[in-house]
Amino acid sequence: ARADRSDRSNLQIEGFRFEDGPFHPAASCCEEDWDALRSKCLRQAPSVVKEKSDSSSDEPCFANDRVVDVDVSSVFNLQTECSAAFSDGTPLDVLRRELRDGKRHPMRDDFFILGVVAARIRSPHLRQPGCSRTPHRVVYYTLDHRRLLCMRASGCKRVRVRIKLSGRFVDDLFNKATDSLGQRTYIR
């Protein structure tokens, strides 16, 4: 990244490199490359919250409330069922219809920003031939299942998420628990 110290608005990202790895030119980076960079930056953010534990190595967890625009396919559920109405009694069908009819838009209406836990999980199916390292990708686990369900049912491709928690401890937890976590939510 290059920037004139006096004017940060002229920042231009030319690419990035992780430790001694290859240089990733910005022009050829895919969304997963940028997700990996964002995840790495989050891990090194100054706003680190450490939880007390009996362990001698406290794992940092980040809660920065940063809002990012992501593909809906990278947002997963933590529960397998949800009710057919919001807590105020409004049926989910009303919101789905408003989304489909264009009366509400998830990229403009802050009601649709989903609270999430961000985790960097192993993705062996993304491994390139001849590469020995298992690739990782950043995924998001929603805390707002009914809104996500409505957006998916309405055909939304992109959603905004607010990262409530992320970090190495979260990555470890989700890498170990991925098979037992729900991935889609159904109305009960």
Side-chain angles (χ1 to χ4, degrees), residues 49-61 169:
V49 177
K50 290 197 174 196
E51 293 186 2
K52 296 286 180 192
S53 73
D54 295 334
S55 168
S56 60
S57 64
D58 287 335
E59 296 289 343
C61 291
F169 180 75

Side-chain angles (χ1 to χ4, degrees), residues 1 4 13 31 33 45 63 88 103 114 120 135 140 151 167 171 176 179-180 184 187:
D4 177 354
I13 305 289
E31 191 60 34
D33 295 328
D88 68 357
K103 292 179 182 172
L114 304 172
R120 189 171 169 260
Y140 307 91
M151 287 188 281
D171 296 348
K176 292 174 183 171
D179 291 338
S180 62
R184 294 286 181 257
I187 299 171

Side-chain angles (χ1 to χ4, degrees), residues 15 20-21 26 35 46 73 76 78 86-87 95 113 128 146 151 153 155 159-160 162 176:
D20 293 331
D35 286 343
S73 67
F76 297 98
L78 289 169
F86 289 98
S87 57
L95 185 59
I113 298 174
Q128 298 294 321
R146 289 172 287 194
M151 287 188 281
V159 295
R160 292 181 298 160
R162 176 171 280 117
K176 292 174 183 171

Side-chain angles (χ1 to χ4, degrees), residues 73-138:
S73 67
S74 65
V75 183
F76 297 98
N77 301 90
L78 289 169
Q79 54 190 55
T80 56
E81 295 181 342
C82 69
S83 67
F86 289 98
S87 57
D88 68 357
T90 305
L92 299 184
D93 287 335
V94 171
L95 185 59
R96 277 190 231 138
R97 195 170 28 260
E98 289 176 344
L99 283 163
R100 270 196 296 263
D101 295 345
K103 292 179 182 172
R104 304 207 43 197
H105 195 283
M107 302 310 280
R108 291 190 293 268
D109 187 341
D110 287 350
F111 171 76
F112 293 102
I113 298 174
L114 304 172
V116 297
V117 174
R120 189 171 169 260
I121 61 168
R122 288 183 294 276
S123 300
H125 63 283
L126 297 175
R127 183 178 287 157
Q128 298 294 321
C131 183
S132 62
R133 288 188 62 197
T134 301
H136 289 75
R137 70 183 186 123
V138 177

Side-chain angles (χ1 to χ4, degrees), residues 1-2 12-17 22-29 34 37:
R2 262 195 233 163
Q12 179 182 354
I13 305 289
E14 294 180 357
F16 61 90
R17 175 187 328 270
F23 180 74
H24 299 274
S28 63
C29 286
W34 293 113
L37 177 63

